[in-house]
Amino acid sequence: KKKKMDFLDIMGLVAEEESKPMSIESFLEEIGLPLFNLGFEEAGIQTVKELINIDYLSRETIFEEMGMTPDDKIKIQNALIIFSSNNSEEINVSIESWNKAQCIDWLHSLPSELGINFSNLEKENIDGKSLIEVLNSTREMRDTFGLSDLKSRLEFEKLVRDKINQKNNQPKLPNTSEGTIYSQKFMDKIQCSYDLHMGVENMGPLLYSLIRFLKPNKVLEIGAGYTTIFILQALADNFQELLVSHSLYITGKSKIPIGNSKFIEWTAEHRLNQLKPGTLYCVDNLAHEHTTANRVFEISEQLNLKSHLKLCVIDAFEFEKSDEIKNEIFDFIWIDMGAGDRMGELFDLYWRFLQPNGGYVVVHSTLTNTVMRNWVESVKQKYQSEINLLHLLEPHKRFQNSCTIFQKRCQNYS
């Protein structure tokens, strides 16, 4: 007996008999990607079930190492969502129904750094329900599970809640207040690119949030360094979020009720159907005495972000000479460069390459001195019919303490 999938009209993907887990080889053949079979063999992944049980970000890393194109990754991720939803009984058992052995097995899979006291747990009558209930008791986590410090208890709680929310392995939209830039790994990696002289300790997170919210596809940065990694992480996280949204959309799980048994699609289908990873074009001549730009490529590799980066080693005023980017139109431009009395010339140059229907330019340190304040006023006068702007000030700092966000709104902006 074979079960047809909802996705058949898109991929022709058919599940194998329930008694026999579908092999990776058969799965790849069905979706038209057999050339990656060897890569999965080398990674030790033999069945679709094994691949589904790997989290999204880890899968992305595996796919990246295999040399998959963005289209390949979207195709296989979406196929896995469909396969998972049609074979949920085989793939996932709700944590609430676990017995003691299943609880212990799963707890053994967690990081050893948590310090779980297994000898103590063997004496307890734990099951899935009690594992969930323990999250409400700090004392229980400390005395029974051996989680002696706050950090380990918070990490344990996150892991359990993630497992609870993994019901039927359905995709869920990313939590934007944990992981990625909020992780210790990220902060440790970027620390070497920070210099107090640059004054961008708060600009990095601000740019990350703006790009996560606005979802630009093509971003241009003038002056590489600490903020570059935040922008790259935002682009990577955006693609992850859009990928999950697309999976929810094609499986019919992104509709919301509007009354009278009616539902409406909450995703913007036209954006999801043009799904592709964002790119940061970074312009820097690496000549600044305080530059940390030379570390950017190395850090982007360590954080698996290099596929989003195009580093252009060229003088900012010679931008139009670059064959790689001179014909691009950008959705978002970040300028962090002390151009002095040439700031007007620099801004005019890049304004021409900005998306006319709502593109953004963010300029650092615009309120610090008279020269920059006068320049901002001149921009307002020159582009008054097509510009909106917002100033942000860090009141606790004397220098490098501000930025201005410019939005381009041409005549037909809507």
PDB file of all heavy atoms in Angstrom, residues 22 39 46 52 64 90 112 124 141 152 158 170 175 188 226 289 313 322 334 347 353-354 393 397 403 411:
ATOM      1  N   MET A  22      11.951   4.965   3.724  1.00  0.00           N
ATOM      2  CA  MET A  22      12.392   5.374   2.388  1.00  0.00           C
ATOM      3  C   MET A  22      13.876   5.718   2.407  1.00  0.00           C
ATOM      4  O   MET A  22      14.348   6.476   3.265  1.00  0.00           O
ATOM      5  CB  MET A  22      11.579   6.576   1.912  1.00  0.00           C
ATOM      6  CG  MET A  22      11.783   6.906   0.436  1.00  0.00           C
ATOM      7  SD  MET A  22      10.715   8.261  -0.099  1.00  0.00           S
ATOM      8  CE  MET A  22      10.797   8.055  -1.877  1.00  0.00           C
ATOM      9  N   GLY A  39      27.057  12.294  -1.676  1.00  0.00           N
ATOM     10  CA  GLY A  39      27.291  13.223  -0.568  1.00  0.00           C
ATOM     11  C   GLY A  39      26.597  12.778   0.702  1.00  0.00           C
ATOM     12  O   GLY A  39      27.167  12.850   1.799  1.00  0.00           O
ATOM     13  N   GLN A  46      21.334   7.640   5.539  1.00  0.00           N
ATOM     14  CA  GLN A  46      20.874   6.593   4.632  1.00  0.00           C
ATOM     15  C   GLN A  46      19.372   6.639   4.349  1.00  0.00           C
ATOM     16  O   GLN A  46      18.924   6.173   3.304  1.00  0.00           O
ATOM     17  CB  GLN A  46      21.243   5.216   5.205  1.00  0.00           C
ATOM     18  CG  GLN A  46      22.751   5.019   5.366  1.00  0.00           C
ATOM     19  CD  GLN A  46      23.103   3.674   5.959  1.00  0.00           C
ATOM     20  OE1 GLN A  46      22.230   2.986   6.503  1.00  0.00           O
ATOM     21  NE2 GLN A  46      24.360   3.289   5.863  1.00  0.00           N
ATOM     22  N   ILE A  52      15.254  13.976   8.071  1.00  0.00           N
ATOM     23  CA  ILE A  52      14.205  14.807   8.664  1.00  0.00           C
ATOM     24  C   ILE A  52      14.491  15.105  10.122  1.00  0.00           C
ATOM     25  O   ILE A  52      14.194  16.198  10.620  1.00  0.00           O
ATOM     26  CB  ILE A  52      12.831  14.111   8.515  1.00  0.00           C
ATOM     27  CG1 ILE A  52      12.378  14.176   7.055  1.00  0.00           C
ATOM     28  CG2 ILE A  52      11.775  14.744   9.407  1.00  0.00           C
ATOM     29  CD1 ILE A  52      11.115  13.416   6.756  1.00  0.00           C
ATOM     30  N   GLU A  64      25.100  22.924   2.046  1.00  0.00           N
ATOM     31  CA  GLU A  64      26.131  23.876   1.610  1.00  0.00           C
ATOM     32  C   GLU A  64      27.429  23.139   1.294  1.00  0.00           C
ATOM     33  O   GLU A  64      28.087  23.404   0.277  1.00  0.00           O
ATOM     34  CB  GLU A  64      26.366  24.913   2.718  1.00  0.00           C
ATOM     35  CG  GLU A  64      27.282  26.056   2.327  1.00  0.00           C
ATOM     36  CD  GLU A  64      26.583  27.104   1.488  1.00  0.00           C
ATOM     37  OE1 GLU A  64      25.345  27.236   1.558  1.00  0.00           O
ATOM     38  OE2 GLU A  64      27.302  27.787   0.746  1.00  0.00           O
ATOM     39  N   GLU A  90       5.337   7.546  11.593  1.00  0.00           N
ATOM     40  CA  GLU A  90       6.585   6.794  11.524  1.00  0.00           C
ATOM     41  C   GLU A  90       7.757   7.601  12.052  1.00  0.00           C
ATOM     42  O   GLU A  90       8.678   7.072  12.655  1.00  0.00           O
ATOM     43  CB  GLU A  90       6.857   6.417  10.062  1.00  0.00           C
ATOM     44  CG  GLU A  90       8.170   5.693   9.850  1.00  0.00           C
ATOM     45  CD  GLU A  90       8.473   5.512   8.380  1.00  0.00           C
ATOM     46  OE1 GLU A  90       7.584   5.701   7.540  1.00  0.00           O
ATOM     47  OE2 GLU A  90       9.625   5.164   8.090  1.00  0.00           O
ATOM     48  N   SER A 112      26.739  17.173  26.916  1.00  0.00           N
ATOM     49  CA  SER A 112      27.228  16.708  28.223  1.00  0.00           C
ATOM     50  C   SER A 112      27.524  17.872  29.164  1.00  0.00           C
ATOM     51  O   SER A 112      27.530  17.705  30.388  1.00  0.00           O
ATOM     52  CB  SER A 112      28.491  15.850  28.035  1.00  0.00           C
ATOM     53  OG  SER A 112      29.501  16.598  27.363  1.00  0.00           O
ATOM     54  N   GLU A 124      14.524   7.609  39.546  1.00  0.00           N
ATOM     55  CA  GLU A 124      13.240   8.305  39.494  1.00  0.00           C
ATOM     56  C   GLU A 124      12.293   7.652  38.479  1.00  0.00           C
ATOM     57  O   GLU A 124      12.732   7.061  37.490  1.00  0.00           O
ATOM     58  CB  GLU A 124      13.451   9.779  39.111  1.00  0.00           C
ATOM     59  CG  GLU A 124      14.355  10.550  40.060  1.00  0.00           C
ATOM     60  CD  GLU A 124      13.691  10.814  41.397  1.00  0.00           C
ATOM     61  OE1 GLU A 124      12.443  10.878  41.447  1.00  0.00           O
ATOM     62  OE2 GLU A 124      14.431  10.965  42.390  1.00  0.00           O
ATOM     63  N   MET A 141      14.655  20.810  38.714  1.00  0.00           N
ATOM     64  CA  MET A 141      15.727  20.784  37.721  1.00  0.00           C
ATOM     65  C   MET A 141      17.089  20.706  38.391  1.00  0.00           C
ATOM     66  O   MET A 141      17.999  20.025  37.912  1.00  0.00           O
ATOM     67  CB  MET A 141      15.649  22.028  36.821  1.00  0.00           C
ATOM     68  CG  MET A 141      14.610  21.944  35.725  1.00  0.00           C
ATOM     69  SD  MET A 141      14.801  23.213  34.449  1.00  0.00           S
ATOM     70  CE  MET A 141      14.038  24.620  35.251  1.00  0.00           C
ATOM     71  N   SER A 152      22.716  26.361  32.611  1.00  0.00           N
ATOM     72  CA  SER A 152      22.365  24.994  32.206  1.00  0.00           C
ATOM     73  C   SER A 152      20.849  24.773  32.275  1.00  0.00           C
ATOM     74  O   SER A 152      20.275  24.085  31.431  1.00  0.00           O
ATOM     75  CB  SER A 152      23.093  23.967  33.078  1.00  0.00           C
ATOM     76  OG  SER A 152      22.713  24.083  34.431  1.00  0.00           O
ATOM     77  N   LYS A 158      15.120  25.286  27.090  1.00  0.00           N
ATOM     78  CA  LYS A 158      14.991  25.570  25.661  1.00  0.00           C
ATOM     79  C   LYS A 158      14.947  24.279  24.848  1.00  0.00           C
ATOM     80  O   LYS A 158      14.127  24.124  23.931  1.00  0.00           O
ATOM     81  CB  LYS A 158      16.155  26.430  25.189  1.00  0.00           C
ATOM     82  CG  LYS A 158      16.145  26.713  23.694  1.00  0.00           C
ATOM     83  CD  LYS A 158      17.376  27.497  23.276  1.00  0.00           C
ATOM     84  CE  LYS A 158      17.359  27.747  21.768  1.00  0.00           C
ATOM     85  NZ  LYS A 158      17.340  26.511  20.970  1.00  0.00           N
ATOM     86  N   GLN A 170       6.802  19.602  12.008  1.00  0.00           N
ATOM     87  CA  GLN A 170       6.346  20.678  11.141  1.00  0.00           C
ATOM     88  C   GLN A 170       7.280  21.875  11.279  1.00  0.00           C
ATOM     89  O   GLN A 170       7.824  22.143  12.340  1.00  0.00           O
ATOM     90  CB  GLN A 170       4.921  21.099  11.527  1.00  0.00           C
ATOM     91  CG  GLN A 170       3.891  20.031  11.243  1.00  0.00           C
ATOM     92  CD  GLN A 170       3.877  19.625   9.790  1.00  0.00           C
ATOM     93  OE1 GLN A 170       3.944  20.472   8.910  1.00  0.00           O
ATOM     94  NE2 GLN A 170       3.810  18.339   9.531  1.00  0.00           N
ATOM     95  N   ASN A 175      12.537  31.929  16.085  1.00  0.00           N
ATOM     96  CA  ASN A 175      12.420  32.843  17.217  1.00  0.00           C
ATOM     97  C   ASN A 175      13.489  33.909  17.044  1.00  0.00           C
ATOM     98  O   ASN A 175      14.680  33.603  17.022  1.00  0.00           O
ATOM     99  CB  ASN A 175      12.630  32.075  18.524  1.00  0.00           C
ATOM    100  CG  ASN A 175      12.396  32.933  19.750  1.00  0.00           C
ATOM    101  OD1 ASN A 175      12.595  34.151  19.724  1.00  0.00           O
ATOM    102  ND2 ASN A 175      11.978  32.314  20.823  1.00  0.00           N
ATOM    103  N   ASP A 188      31.486  35.336  20.253  1.00  0.00           N
ATOM    104  CA  ASP A 188      32.897  34.962  20.362  1.00  0.00           C
ATOM    105  C   ASP A 188      33.620  35.137  19.025  1.00  0.00           C
ATOM    106  O   ASP A 188      34.763  35.606  18.985  1.00  0.00           O
ATOM    107  CB  ASP A 188      33.023  33.506  20.831  1.00  0.00           C
ATOM    108  CG  ASP A 188      32.625  33.329  22.290  1.00  0.00           C
ATOM    109  OD1 ASP A 188      32.549  34.340  23.018  1.00  0.00           O
ATOM    110  OD2 ASP A 188      32.378  32.171  22.697  1.00  0.00           O
ATOM    111  N   TYR A 226      33.007  45.100  11.606  1.00  0.00           N
ATOM    112  CA  TYR A 226      32.156  44.487  12.629  1.00  0.00           C
ATOM    113  C   TYR A 226      30.713  44.331  12.164  1.00  0.00           C
ATOM    114  O   TYR A 226      30.092  43.284  12.357  1.00  0.00           O
ATOM    115  CB  TYR A 226      32.217  45.380  13.868  1.00  0.00           C
ATOM    116  CG  TYR A 226      31.476  44.875  15.093  1.00  0.00           C
ATOM    117  CD1 TYR A 226      31.991  43.827  15.849  1.00  0.00           C
ATOM    118  CD2 TYR A 226      30.300  45.486  15.511  1.00  0.00           C
ATOM    119  CE1 TYR A 226      31.328  43.392  17.004  1.00  0.00           C
ATOM    120  CE2 TYR A 226      29.633  45.056  16.648  1.00  0.00           C
ATOM    121  CZ  TYR A 226      30.148  44.012  17.395  1.00  0.00           C
ATOM    122  OH  TYR A 226      29.496  43.583  18.527  1.00  0.00           O
ATOM    123  N   GLU A 289      43.493  52.692   8.691  1.00  0.00           N
ATOM    124  CA  GLU A 289      44.460  52.236   9.691  1.00  0.00           C
ATOM    125  C   GLU A 289      43.823  51.426  10.816  1.00  0.00           C
ATOM    126  O   GLU A 289      44.481  50.606  11.459  1.00  0.00           O
ATOM    127  CB  GLU A 289      45.210  53.438  10.290  1.00  0.00           C
ATOM    128  CG  GLU A 289      44.322  54.419  11.052  1.00  0.00           C
ATOM    129  CD  GLU A 289      45.132  55.523  11.725  1.00  0.00           C
ATOM    130  OE1 GLU A 289      46.199  55.205  12.283  1.00  0.00           O
ATOM    131  OE2 GLU A 289      44.700  56.689  11.673  1.00  0.00           O
ATOM    132  N   VAL A 313      37.110  44.607  -3.233  1.00  0.00           N
ATOM    133  CA  VAL A 313      38.237  45.417  -2.760  1.00  0.00           C
ATOM    134  C   VAL A 313      38.486  46.522  -3.786  1.00  0.00           C
ATOM    135  O   VAL A 313      39.183  46.346  -4.786  1.00  0.00           O
ATOM    136  CB  VAL A 313      39.498  44.547  -2.561  1.00  0.00           C
ATOM    137  CG1 VAL A 313      40.649  45.407  -2.010  1.00  0.00           C
ATOM    138  CG2 VAL A 313      39.200  43.391  -1.607  1.00  0.00           C
ATOM    139  N   SER A 322      33.615  48.855 -11.012  1.00  0.00           N
ATOM    140  CA  SER A 322      33.511  47.435 -10.701  1.00  0.00           C
ATOM    141  C   SER A 322      32.492  46.759 -11.612  1.00  0.00           C
ATOM    142  O   SER A 322      31.304  47.042 -11.547  1.00  0.00           O
ATOM    143  CB  SER A 322      33.105  47.234  -9.233  1.00  0.00           C
ATOM    144  OG  SER A 322      32.833  45.877  -8.978  1.00  0.00           O
ATOM    145  N   TRP A 334      24.315  50.566   3.366  1.00  0.00           N
ATOM    146  CA  TRP A 334      24.871  50.989   4.658  1.00  0.00           C
ATOM    147  C   TRP A 334      26.211  51.647   4.398  1.00  0.00           C
ATOM    148  O   TRP A 334      27.132  51.043   3.853  1.00  0.00           O
ATOM    149  CB  TRP A 334      25.009  49.775   5.576  1.00  0.00           C
ATOM    150  CG  TRP A 334      25.979  49.857   6.725  1.00  0.00           C
ATOM    151  CD1 TRP A 334      27.015  48.996   6.981  1.00  0.00           C
ATOM    152  CD2 TRP A 334      25.991  50.808   7.805  1.00  0.00           C
ATOM    153  NE1 TRP A 334      27.674  49.343   8.131  1.00  0.00           N
ATOM    154  CE2 TRP A 334      27.065  50.458   8.661  1.00  0.00           C
ATOM    155  CE3 TRP A 334      25.213  51.926   8.129  1.00  0.00           C
ATOM    156  CZ2 TRP A 334      27.369  51.175   9.815  1.00  0.00           C
ATOM    157  CZ3 TRP A 334      25.528  52.644   9.274  1.00  0.00           C
ATOM    158  CH2 TRP A 334      26.581  52.270  10.105  1.00  0.00           C
ATOM    159  N   PHE A 347      27.434  60.232  -1.416  1.00  0.00           N
ATOM    160  CA  PHE A 347      26.011  59.925  -1.286  1.00  0.00           C
ATOM    161  C   PHE A 347      25.305  59.995  -2.641  1.00  0.00           C
ATOM    162  O   PHE A 347      24.494  59.113  -2.980  1.00  0.00           O
ATOM    163  CB  PHE A 347      25.355  60.900  -0.300  1.00  0.00           C
ATOM    164  CG  PHE A 347      23.933  60.558   0.029  1.00  0.00           C
ATOM    165  CD1 PHE A 347      23.635  59.654   1.043  1.00  0.00           C
ATOM    166  CD2 PHE A 347      22.872  61.142  -0.668  1.00  0.00           C
ATOM    167  CE1 PHE A 347      22.313  59.334   1.349  1.00  0.00           C
ATOM    168  CE2 PHE A 347      21.550  60.836  -0.364  1.00  0.00           C
ATOM    169  CZ  PHE A 347      21.275  59.924   0.648  1.00  0.00           C
ATOM    170  N   PHE A 353      22.025  54.192  -7.304  1.00  0.00           N
ATOM    171  CA  PHE A 353      21.952  52.732  -7.366  1.00  0.00           C
ATOM    172  C   PHE A 353      20.968  52.163  -6.344  1.00  0.00           C
ATOM    173  O   PHE A 353      20.927  50.960  -6.126  1.00  0.00           O
ATOM    174  CB  PHE A 353      23.335  52.123  -7.128  1.00  0.00           C
ATOM    175  CG  PHE A 353      24.309  52.397  -8.242  1.00  0.00           C
ATOM    176  CD1 PHE A 353      25.098  53.531  -8.219  1.00  0.00           C
ATOM    177  CD2 PHE A 353      24.403  51.540  -9.328  1.00  0.00           C
ATOM    178  CE1 PHE A 353      25.983  53.804  -9.250  1.00  0.00           C
ATOM    179  CE2 PHE A 353      25.285  51.794 -10.359  1.00  0.00           C
ATOM    180  CZ  PHE A 353      26.085  52.926 -10.326  1.00  0.00           C
ATOM    181  N   LEU A 354      20.169  53.037  -5.750  1.00  0.00           N
ATOM    182  CA  LEU A 354      19.205  52.603  -4.739  1.00  0.00           C
ATOM    183  C   LEU A 354      17.843  52.349  -5.360  1.00  0.00           C
ATOM    184  O   LEU A 354      17.397  53.102  -6.232  1.00  0.00           O
ATOM    185  CB  LEU A 354      19.082  53.683  -3.653  1.00  0.00           C
ATOM    186  CG  LEU A 354      18.169  53.358  -2.462  1.00  0.00           C
ATOM    187  CD1 LEU A 354      18.715  52.196  -1.645  1.00  0.00           C
ATOM    188  CD2 LEU A 354      18.004  54.591  -1.573  1.00  0.00           C
ATOM    189  N   LEU A 393      20.009  58.887  17.765  1.00  0.00           N
ATOM    190  CA  LEU A 393      21.157  59.386  18.529  1.00  0.00           C
ATOM    191  C   LEU A 393      21.411  58.512  19.749  1.00  0.00           C
ATOM    192  O   LEU A 393      20.478  58.130  20.470  1.00  0.00           O
ATOM    193  CB  LEU A 393      20.882  60.825  18.989  1.00  0.00           C
ATOM    194  CG  LEU A 393      21.943  61.469  19.887  1.00  0.00           C
ATOM    195  CD1 LEU A 393      23.226  61.740  19.087  1.00  0.00           C
ATOM    196  CD2 LEU A 393      21.403  62.762  20.502  1.00  0.00           C
ATOM    197  N   LYS A 397      27.184  58.910  24.248  1.00  0.00           N
ATOM    198  CA  LYS A 397      28.484  58.943  23.573  1.00  0.00           C
ATOM    199  C   LYS A 397      28.758  60.329  22.973  1.00  0.00           C
ATOM    200  O   LYS A 397      27.830  61.023  22.563  1.00  0.00           O
ATOM    201  CB  LYS A 397      28.522  57.877  22.464  1.00  0.00           C
ATOM    202  CG  LYS A 397      28.476  56.453  22.983  1.00  0.00           C
ATOM    203  CD  LYS A 397      28.115  55.441  21.897  1.00  0.00           C
ATOM    204  CE  LYS A 397      29.118  55.396  20.786  1.00  0.00           C
ATOM    205  NZ  LYS A 397      28.792  54.314  19.816  1.00  0.00           N
ATOM    206  N   CYS A 403      23.106  57.860  13.698  1.00  0.00           N
ATOM    207  CA  CYS A 403      22.952  57.444  12.303  1.00  0.00           C
ATOM    208  C   CYS A 403      21.688  58.093  11.757  1.00  0.00           C
ATOM    209  O   CYS A 403      20.818  58.529  12.520  1.00  0.00           O
ATOM    210  CB  CYS A 403      22.878  55.922  12.172  1.00  0.00           C
ATOM    211  SG  CYS A 403      21.349  55.186  12.802  1.00  0.00           S
ATOM    212  N   GLN A 411       8.178  59.255  -7.437  1.00  0.00           N
ATOM    213  CA  GLN A 411       6.830  59.743  -7.656  1.00  0.00           C
ATOM    214  C   GLN A 411       5.755  58.669  -7.539  1.00  0.00           C
ATOM    215  O   GLN A 411       4.686  58.896  -7.012  1.00  0.00           O
ATOM    216  CB  GLN A 411       6.757  60.403  -9.035  1.00  0.00           C
ATOM    217  CG  GLN A 411       5.434  61.134  -9.283  1.00  0.00           C
ATOM    218  CD  GLN A 411       5.459  61.910 -10.587  1.00  0.00           C
ATOM    219  OE1 GLN A 411       6.442  61.898 -11.314  1.00  0.00           O
ATOM    220  NE2 GLN A 411       4.378  62.625 -10.872  1.00  0.00           N
TER     221      GLN A 411
END
